[in-house]
């Protein structure tokens, strides 16, 4: 059985007939080839699959693709400008060495942007608490916190 | 050092690899999709120990979308997975090496053991079909605890290993140690457990295997830290394939921490099957599969005794360790609790005699192998916990007891085989104490006491042996592989450079660090240098990345290749400038006739090498492409001091890290930003071990109780503080970069520093024993027991 799905992904209208049990993360990765969204666990704990659904950061492994019917989805591939200029949060992660292996990074950046939208002047404690849903095994979070602070300042400009 | 010290060396150059990761353009194994691709699913044993009386795959083979179902019966001619290190028992016999079949043969020996491989058109079809496989298990009693496994009457796991013993191995002069203990003024005794861990790189293991009938060749994409080693082991030892017919690509790899060094059953079975089904096969582990089947880490039970004279000088150390190997020997399992552990037991101290005996045993658990630090965290944990306890027992301040025993003259031959080339342990201790504000601790402690909280300060002065290793030394100790590294510097006609390295980056930033070395040495822009790694089809050879060896060994191979490029460049320049080769100097990207202004730029020389019109063709080959293999003459010895300050709430048992300070000596540093990042990450993993992480199997059923990220606590952003990190430098004396390695230090120093801080905090309430992780539950229980 397949069911029609229509939504917007990174500003473009997308239509597909999909298996109803397809997860949004798999739809993005496999059907659309947007492999910047990563899958790191099976219990919605690691946050590597974080994307924006109608402006909110969500874990796309925990949502059926059909639940995104008519929604506006933004993935990591949709952040940079068309000439490749990075979003200020992406640039801040690079500048602060907020990434190592890169696997958690895309979800981390999506969460960070959402965090800053809700807490534009977040202090270190707030940032650490807000990043609870994103696991990183490489950086020890030290430089991620710095990157979020620097990214927040750049986004405010 | 000369030219190496200028240019980009010592600069926090932002990473060349970051753009692709941040834009979502990284290429991890699970991102690889090949035309006509099929999907694999592994049926795993639900039992810790069971006889397999039969497997009926009939229904599964007929299920929708199924292409093939394989069991061990199909794998005729396929050998078991090999172990790369032979340990010799104290009785002179080789360690017990029971077969490690790719798919379980006759018996399943741990929950998660691979029983069958299903290949189908889609992942869901493969999974659905696996449910139709009927395995006739006869469940057997299981044993998961390593001490229990060695008791008489324990369930027997392998016929080849009576009593479940793999080996008993020893190092050091036992009678000298016994004699020193007889004369000791004080003896400190310690029983500790080094808790079992699951590595949990955020990218789960994954593989895509494909076969080409056109040339009878295979290509394997795999999340792996050492693709050439993977290929060598898989072709030569297991599948019997010609090595040149197999290409292994480890593309972007999302963290390793040791767990992606090994040759695993999954990719081996998939390469084998790819020819049978003649289509690409893809598999990516779900996190629950990672918990079940990635090689785990640590899992030691240790009794240690330290003999001291009346002034707190160490006279001897005696250690007995029991190490869990899991159900089978993983690729490097046997050398972790021996060669990489007991040889580090001198630590930073002049302890004249050390004896260590290690018994390794099989259990019904996932195989245990190297995990960040690999043996060295376990050694440091023993030394630094017992030194802390000795200081506390004898009333000697923690910095003082360490200073009284520091090694200060180098080179220093330890009683456990290693020869330390250089170090400066006082400097790191002093600096760590400064940044930790040890002077202000008493006031902070009394302030905490007023709030009903217990403050503690813990030290760990660690050393590690990195830069693994001189191949002949490793070989004499049982290694079945060489441990050199290879590099190639390919200068293109227009002077840009592609570097091929046998090291592998899975987060370490080699594409940047190595480019800094090359750009500096050749005097060219860093944008003109790209670094290629992780592909047996492009890189000449490689031993890969583990043991903090990449810069010290892989970086040195590149330096050696650069030496050859420059030497050849001088010959070409001498010809073009009509000067003697001995008069040509190379500096800042120019070949100059000494004492003149006559010079040729690097790009002019490279162009001449590829357009050899005016060229000494009778004496010199065209082209500018040089390779080098580098086999180190000694290990490197990074060392440092970590200091942790904690506050314990005695009512809840919650431990809060107030501050964590680290001063490390990694030798010369190419990119301080990357080095600090490595330290941060290591500290966080060590803190995870000390406070949160604990892999637990049920002692009756052998089921993995901590089998998901809901049950196994990885450190999250709000579990750790920001870190205070400094470095001191004593350059390594035996590699041209003077580099020692920085990847594991954080995970080595932090567990004892944290646990010593907790023990210090709890000393006032009478707690004398606590094992990791210092969870609120355990700490609260320890406080209640002490008070009772």
């Amino acid at each position: 059985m397949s069911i029609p799905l229509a939504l917007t992904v990174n500003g473009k209208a997308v239509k597909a007939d999909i298996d109803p049990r397809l997860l949004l993360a798999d739809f993005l990765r496999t059907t659309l080839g947007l492999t910047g969204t990563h899958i790191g666990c099976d219990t919605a704990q690691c946050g590597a699959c974080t994307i924006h659904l109608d402006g909110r950061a969500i874990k796309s492994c925990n949502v059926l693709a059909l639940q995104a019917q008519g929604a506006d989805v933004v993935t990591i591939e949709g952040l940079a400008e068309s000439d490749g200029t990075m979003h200020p949060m992406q640039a801040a992660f690079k500048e602060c060495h907020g990434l190592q292996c890169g696997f958690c990074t895309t979800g981390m950046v999506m969460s960070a942007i959402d965090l800053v939208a809700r807490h534009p002047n977040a202090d270190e404690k707030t940032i650490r608490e807000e990043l609870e849903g994103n696991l990183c095994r490489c950086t020890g979070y030290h430089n991620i916190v710095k990157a979020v602070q620097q990214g927040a300042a750049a986004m405010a400009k | 050092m000369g030219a190496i010290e200028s240019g980009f060396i010592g600069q926090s150059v932002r990473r060349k690899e970051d753009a692709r990761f941040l834009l979502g353009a990284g290429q991890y194994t699970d991102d690889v999709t090949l035309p006509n691709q099929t999907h694999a699913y592994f049926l795993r044993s639900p039992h810790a120990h069971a006889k397999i009386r039969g497997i009926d795959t009939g229904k599964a083979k007929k299920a929708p979308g199924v292409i093939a179902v394989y069991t061990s019966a199909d794998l005729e001619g396929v050998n078991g997975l090999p172990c790369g290190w032979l340990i010799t028992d104290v009785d002179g016999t080789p360690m017990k090496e029971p077969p490690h079949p790719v798919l379980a043969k006759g018996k399943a020996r741990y929950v998660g053991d691979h029983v069958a491989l299903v290949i189908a058109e889609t992942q869901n079809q493969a999974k659905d079909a696996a449910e139709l496989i009927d395995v006739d298990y006869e469940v057997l009693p299981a044993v998961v605890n390593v001490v229990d496994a060695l008791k008489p009457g324990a369930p027997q796991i392998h016929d080849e290993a009576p009593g479940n013993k793999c080996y008993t191995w020893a190092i050091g002069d036992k009678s000298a140690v016994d004699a020193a203990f007889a004369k000791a003024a004080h003896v400190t005794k310690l029983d500790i457990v080094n808790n079992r861990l699951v590595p949990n790189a955020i990218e789960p293991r994954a593989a895509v295997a494909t076969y080409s009938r056109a040339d009878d060749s295979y290509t394997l994409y795999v999340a792996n830290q050492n693709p050439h080693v993977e290929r060598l082991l898989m072709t030569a030892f297991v599948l019997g394939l010609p090595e040149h017919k197999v290409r292994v690509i480890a593309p972007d790899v999302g963290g390793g921490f040791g767990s992606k060094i090994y040759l695993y059953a999954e990719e081996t079975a998939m390469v084998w099957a790819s020819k049978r089904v003649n289509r690409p096969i893809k598999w990516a582990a779900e996190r629950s599969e990672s918990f079940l089947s990635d090689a785990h880490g640590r899992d030691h039970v240790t009794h240690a005794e330290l003999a001291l004279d009346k002034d707190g000088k160490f006279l001897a150390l005696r250690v007995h360790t029991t190490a869990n190997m899991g159900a089978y020997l993983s690729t490097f399992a046997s050398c972790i609790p021996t060669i990489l552990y007991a040889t580090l037991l001198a630590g930073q101290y002049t302890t004249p005699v050390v004896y260590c005996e290690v018994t390794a045993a099989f259990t019904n658990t996932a195989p245990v192998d190297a995990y960040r630090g690999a043996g060295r965290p376990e050694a440091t944990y023993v030394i630094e916990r017992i030194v802390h306890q000795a200081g506390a027992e004898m009333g000697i301040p923690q910095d003082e007891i360490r200073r009284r025993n520091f090694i200060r003259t180098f080179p220093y031959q330890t009683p456990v085989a290693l020869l330390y080339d250089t170090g400066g342990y006082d400097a790191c201790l002093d600096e760590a104490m400064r940044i930790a504000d040890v002077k202000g601790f008493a006031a902070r402690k009394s302030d905490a006491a007023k709030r009903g909280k217990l403050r503690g300060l813990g030290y760990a002065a660690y050393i590690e042996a990195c830069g693994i290793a001189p191949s002949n030394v490793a070989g004499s100790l049982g290694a079945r592989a060489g441990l050199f590294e290879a590099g190639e510097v390919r200068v293109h006609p227009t002077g840009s450079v592609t570097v091929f390295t046998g090291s592998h980056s899975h987060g370490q930033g080699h594409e940047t660090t190595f480019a800094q070395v090359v750009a500096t040495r050749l005097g060219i822009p860093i944008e003109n240098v790209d670094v290629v790694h992780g592909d047996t089809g492009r890189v000449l050879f490689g031993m890969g990345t583990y043991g903090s060896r990449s810069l010290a060994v892989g970086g040195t191979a590149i330096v050696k290749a650069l030496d050859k490029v420059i030497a050849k460049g001088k010959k070409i320049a001498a010809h073009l400038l009509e000067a003697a080769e001995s008069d040509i100097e190379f500096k800042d990207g120019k070949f100059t006739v000494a004492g003149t202004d006559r010079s040729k730029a690097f790009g002019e020389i490279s162009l001449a090498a590829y357009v050899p019109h005016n060229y000494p063709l009778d004496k010199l080959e065209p082209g500018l492409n040089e390779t080098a293999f580098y086999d180190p003459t000694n290990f490197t010895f990074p060392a440092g001091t970590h200091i942790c300050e904690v506050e314990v709430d005695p009512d809840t048992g919650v431990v809060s890290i107030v501050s964590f300070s680290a001063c490390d000596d990694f030798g010369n540093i190419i990119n301080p930003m990357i080095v600090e990042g490595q330290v941060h990450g290591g500290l966080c993993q060590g803190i995870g071990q000390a406070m949160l992480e604990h892999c637990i199997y049920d002692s009756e059923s052998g089921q993995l109780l901590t089998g998901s990220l809901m049950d196994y606590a990885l450190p999250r952003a709000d579990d750790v503080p920001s870190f205070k990190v400094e470095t001191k430098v004593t350059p390594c004396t035996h590699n041209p970069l003077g580099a020692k390695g920085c990847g594991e230090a954080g995970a080595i120093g932090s567990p004892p520093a944290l646990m010593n801080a907790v023990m210090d905090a709890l000393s006032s309430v009478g707690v004398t024993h606590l094992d990791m992780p210092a969870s609120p539950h355990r700490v609260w229980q320890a406080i209640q027991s002490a008070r009772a």
Side-chain angles (χ1 to χ4, degrees):
Chain A
M1 183 176 72
S2 55
I3 295 180
L5 170 69
L7 72 168
T8 305
V9 178
N10 297 332
K12 284 182 194 150
V14 172
K15 282 185 181 172
D17 290 326
I18 60 161
D19 180 345
R21 62 178 169 172
L22 187 66
L23 296 172
L24 181 56
D26 290 321
F27 172 74
L28 294 169
R29 287 180 52 78
T30 310
T31 313
L32 301 186
L34 295 171
T35 54
T37 298
H38 299 146
I39 297 174
C41 78
D42 42 16
T43 51
Q45 290 294 301
C46 81
C49 65
T50 304
I51 58 143
H52 292 172
L53 181 79
D54 290 332
R56 283 175 59 219
I58 59 119
K59 293 178 177 177
S60 63
C61 77
N62 222 27
V63 174
L64 291 169
L66 284 174
Q67 288 175 277
Q69 191 74 265
D72 182 19
V73 165
V74 177
T75 70
I76 192 74
E77 289 92 343
L79 289 184
E81 291 174 32
S82 55
D83 67 354
T85 304
M86 286 189 197
H87 183 282
M89 188 59 77
Q90 290 171 311
F93 268 71
K94 176 170 182 171
E95 183 59 26
C96 297
H97 189 33
L99 67 153
Q100 290 181 24
C101 80
F103 197 82
C104 80
T105 306
T106 51
M108 198 67 83
V109 167
M110 299 310 284
S111 282
I113 292 169
D114 178 72
L115 182 175
V116 172
R118 288 179 291 108
H119 305 277
N121 300 305
D123 59 9
E124 176 174 344
K125 185 168 181 289
T126 306
I127 292 170
R128 287 185 179 275
E129 284 171 4
E130 284 284 326
L131 290 180
E132 255 242 339
N134 290 76
L135 288 169
C136 171
R137 196 59 159 161
C138 293
T139 64
Y141 303 103
H142 182 111
N143 287 342
I144 289 177
V145 172
K146 272 169 59 181
V148 174
Q149 287 169 326
Q150 189 168 314
M155 282 168 67
K157 279 180 190 162
Chain B
M1 293 296 298
I4 286 220
E5 274 178 356
S6 56
F8 300 101
I9 305 300
Q11 306 290 318
S12 288
V13 174
R14 298 308 187 260
R15 299 201 319 171
K16 291 166 77 80
E17 44 271 83
D18 283 354
R20 70 174 186 272
F21 293 142
L22 282 161
L23 295 169
Q27 178 89 157
Y28 300 89
T29 299
D30 192 31
D31 301 337
V32 174
T33 295
L34 299 178
N36 208 23
Q37 173 177 284
T38 68
H39 295 265
Y41 181 78
F42 288 88
L43 180 70
R44 297 172 186 278
S45 171
H47 305 294
H49 197 193
K51 253 187 209 159
I52 299 173
R53 289 189 291 220
I55 306 177
D56 182 354
T57 59
K59 277 189 211 162
K61 281 178 175 161
K62 288 181 204 138
V66 169
I67 296 155
V69 180
Y70 299 114
T71 68
S72 68
D74 300 300
L75 297 176
E76 210 170 306
V78 174
N79 295 319
L81 302 175
C83 180
W85 206 295
L86 173 70
I87 295 296
T88 302
D89 196 283
V90 287
D91 69 8
T93 61
M95 67 183 187
K96 301 296 186 291
E97 276 185 273
H100 184 178
V102 171
L103 294 175
K105 203 170 185 176
K107 235 185 178 192
R109 293 183 172 86
Y110 66 102
V111 173
D113 205 352
H114 319 71
V115 174
L117 163 60
V118 182
I119 299 166
E121 296 292 341
T122 72
Q123 202 181 28
N124 282 335
Q125 286 172 332
K127 277 186 180 178
D128 291 346
E131 287 190 12
L132 301 174
I133 298 174
D134 186 11
V135 186
D136 182 9
Y137 290 111
E138 178 189 332
V139 178
L140 301 170
V143 61
V144 297
N145 178 289
V146 68
V147 174
D148 293 342
L150 289 163
K151 287 178 182 162
Q156 177 70 36
I157 299 168
H158 295 280
D159 294 343
E160 297 82 357
N164 297 320
K165 197 179 91 167
C166 180
Y167 57 76
T168 293
W169 173 93
I171 190 170
D173 185 339
K174 185 171 188 294
S175 57
V177 166
D178 291 345
F181 268 88
K183 284 189 270 178
H186 183 88
V187 173
T188 293
K189 297 181 180 180
L190 178 69
D191 285 289
I192 49 171
V193 172
N194 203 293
N195 45 324
R196 185 179 180 111
L197 303 175
V198 184
N200 273 306
I202 303 297
E203 180 207 21
R205 286 192 294 119
V208 181
T210 184
Y211 170 76
S212 166
R213 277 193 182 159
D215 56 0
D216 191 28
S217 73
Y218 301 79
T219 302
L220 171 67
Y221 296 83
V222 61
N224 184 276
Q225 300 176 212
N226 33 223
H228 285 87
V229 177
E230 168 100 356
R231 177 175 72 168
L232 175 62
L233 294 173
M234 184 186 289
T235 57
F237 294 91
V238 187
L239 297 181
L241 295 173
E243 205 172 345
H244 68 293
K245 290 290 190 187
V246 179
R247 178 177 179 185
V248 177
I249 301 171
D252 287 327
V253 173
F257 316 114
S259 69
K260 292 171 183 168
I261 294 172
Y262 323 116
L263 177 65
Y264 283 97
E266 288 89 352
E267 61 258 27
T268 308
M270 288 165 63
V271 167
W272 175 87
S274 67
K275 181 173 182 177
R276 272 82 197 160
V277 301
N278 195 29
R279 287 175 63 183
I281 308 169
K282 181 176 196 166
W283 168 78
E286 296 183 10
R287 179 59 55 184
S288 53
E289 287 184 281
S290 305
F291 273 100
L292 290 174
S293 68
D294 287 7
H296 293 178
R298 318 287 194 251
D299 206 347
H300 285 195
V301 178
T302 293
H303 175 75
E305 299 180 356
L306 179 65
L308 303 96
D309 73 8
K310 63 179 177 30
D311 300 319
K313 192 94 174 127
F314 306 156
L315 302 175
L317 178 69
R318 185 157 55 199
V319 178
H320 285 260
T321 292
T322 312
N324 197 337
M325 295 284 100
Y328 303 99
L329 285 176
S330 174
T331 311
F332 289 109
S334 52
C335 75
I336 310 304
T338 48
I339 309 302
L340 292 178
Y341 166 69
T343 57
L344 272 299
L345 285 170
Q348 298 188 359
Y349 309 116
T350 55
T351 317
V353 282
V354 175
Y355 177 73
C356 178
E357 194 174 291
V358 180
T359 298
F362 295 102
T363 61
N364 294 113
T365 64
V368 180
D369 207 324
Y371 167 66
R372 199 169 194 168
R376 292 152 290 173
E378 294 92 317
T380 301
Y381 191 63
V382 171
I383 301 165
E384 290 304 294
R385 287 273 326 247
I386 204 165
V387 166
H388 174 94
Q389 189 173 318
E393 286 171 359
M394 295 180 76
I396 304 171
Q398 291 298 330
D399 59 320
E400 180 59 24
I401 193 167
R402 288 171 171 82
R403 283 187 212 281
R404 285 184 196 175
N405 291 283
F406 274 162
I407 295 162
R408 291 191 178 84
T409 51
F410 297 92
Y412 180 84
Q413 176 65 55
T414 75
V416 274
L418 297 177
L419 180 72
Y420 300 168
D421 63 333
T422 182
Y425 308 142
D426 292 279
C428 284
L429 175 62
D430 291 343
E431 179 65 3
M433 290 177 73
R434 187 188 69 77
I435 57 177
D437 186 23
V438 170
K439 281 183 188 152
F441 176 70
R444 294 194 296 275
K445 182 172 174 155
S446 79
D447 178 59
K450 285 179 202 150
R451 291 181 283 109
K453 302 294 199 305
L454 308 171
R455 281 248 172 167
L457 199 64
Y459 292 68
Y462 73 90
I463 191 163
E464 48 173 334
C466 295
I468 299 167
S471 292
N472 53 357
V473 173
S476 71
L477 296 170
R480 289 164 165 167
L483 286 156
F484 53 85
E485 196 47 274
E488 176 179 354
V489 176
R490 184 176 301 170
V491 183
H492 303 290
T494 52
S496 66
V497 174
T498 304
V499 177
F500 300 84
T501 175
S503 298
H504 187 276
S505 183
H506 29 281
Q508 294 90 339
H510 299 157
E511 290 170 41
T512 305
T513 303
F514 290 3
Q516 286 177 253
V517 172
V518 173
T520 299
R521 192 71 193 280
L522 296 181
I524 59 177
I526 198 162
E527 296 75 24
N528 288 9
V529 183
D530 271 357
V531 177
V532 172
H533 61 87
D535 184 348
T536 64
R538 298 180 74 192
V539 178
L540 67 169
F541 198 78
M543 297 308 300
T545 287
Y546 41 83
S548 307
R549 71 194 299 269
S550 294
L551 184 62
V553 189
T556 298
I558 293 168
V559 170
K560 300 275 181 193
L562 286 169
D563 287 344
K564 295 182 189 176
V565 166
I566 291 164
K568 186 167 180 182
K570 283 182 177 175
K571 288 186 175 38
I572 300 169
H575 175 84
L576 294 176
L577 295 165
E578 295 173 343
E581 186 189 328
S582 57
D583 288 339
I584 302 291
E585 292 173 344
F586 181 67
K587 196 168 178 257
D588 299 331
K590 273 186 190 167
F591 293 90
T592 306
V593 182
T596 75
D597 59 357
R598 294 167 54 224
S599 68
K600 289 281 179 190
F602 182 72
E604 292 178 274
I605 297 302
S606 63
L607 192 65
Y610 288 94
V611 187
H613 297 166
N614 177 14
Y615 195 90
L617 285 167
D618 53 334
K619 289 179 285 197
L620 205 58
E621 293 175 12
L624 198 52
N625 186 45
E626 297 291 347
T627 63
F629 285 70
Y630 171 69
D631 202 297
T633 55
N634 192 1
F635 296 88
T636 64
F637 298 98
T641 293
H642 294 182
I643 298 178
C644 181
E645 184 169 335
V646 298
E647 188 167 291
V648 180
D649 183 337
D651 295 331
T652 62
V654 169
V655 176
S656 306
I657 302 174
V658 179
S659 71
F660 201 107
S661 309
C663 182
D664 302 291
D665 177 0
F666 300 132
N668 290 336
I669 288 171
I670 308 294
N671 186 320
M673 175 191 81
I674 287 177
V675 168
E676 280 179 23
Q678 289 293 309
V679 175
H680 297 157
L683 293 177
C684 187
Q685 277 180 313
I687 288 168
Q689 168 164 33
M691 283 184 72
L692 298 160
E693 298 179 39
H694 195 186
C695 174
I696 302 170
Y697 284 90
D698 181 71
S699 59
E700 291 293 317
S701 66
Q703 293 295 325
L704 179 60
L705 300 181
T706 51
S708 83
L709 292 173
M710 309 279 278
D711 315 291
Y712 183 95
L714 285 193
R716 294 173 188 274
D718 55 358
D719 289 318
V720 290
S722 285
F723 305 108
K724 299 181 206 173
V725 173
E726 292 291 341
T727 53
K728 293 285 173 188
V729 176
T730 61
C732 171
T733 60
H734 53 81
N735 68 54
L737 291 166
K740 297 181 182 178
C742 67
E744 296 160 296
I748 293 171
S750 55
L754 197 154
M755 288 304 290
N756 287 341
V758 173
M759 296 310 289
D760 185 43
L762 297 182
S763 62
S764 63
V765 291
V767 172
T768 55
H769 178 82
L770 190 66
D771 278 320
M772 300 186 287
S775 60
H777 175 69
R778 282 188 170 198
V779 171
W780 187 85
Q781 273 192 330
I783 294 170
Q784 302 313 310
S785 305
R787 282 176 175 165

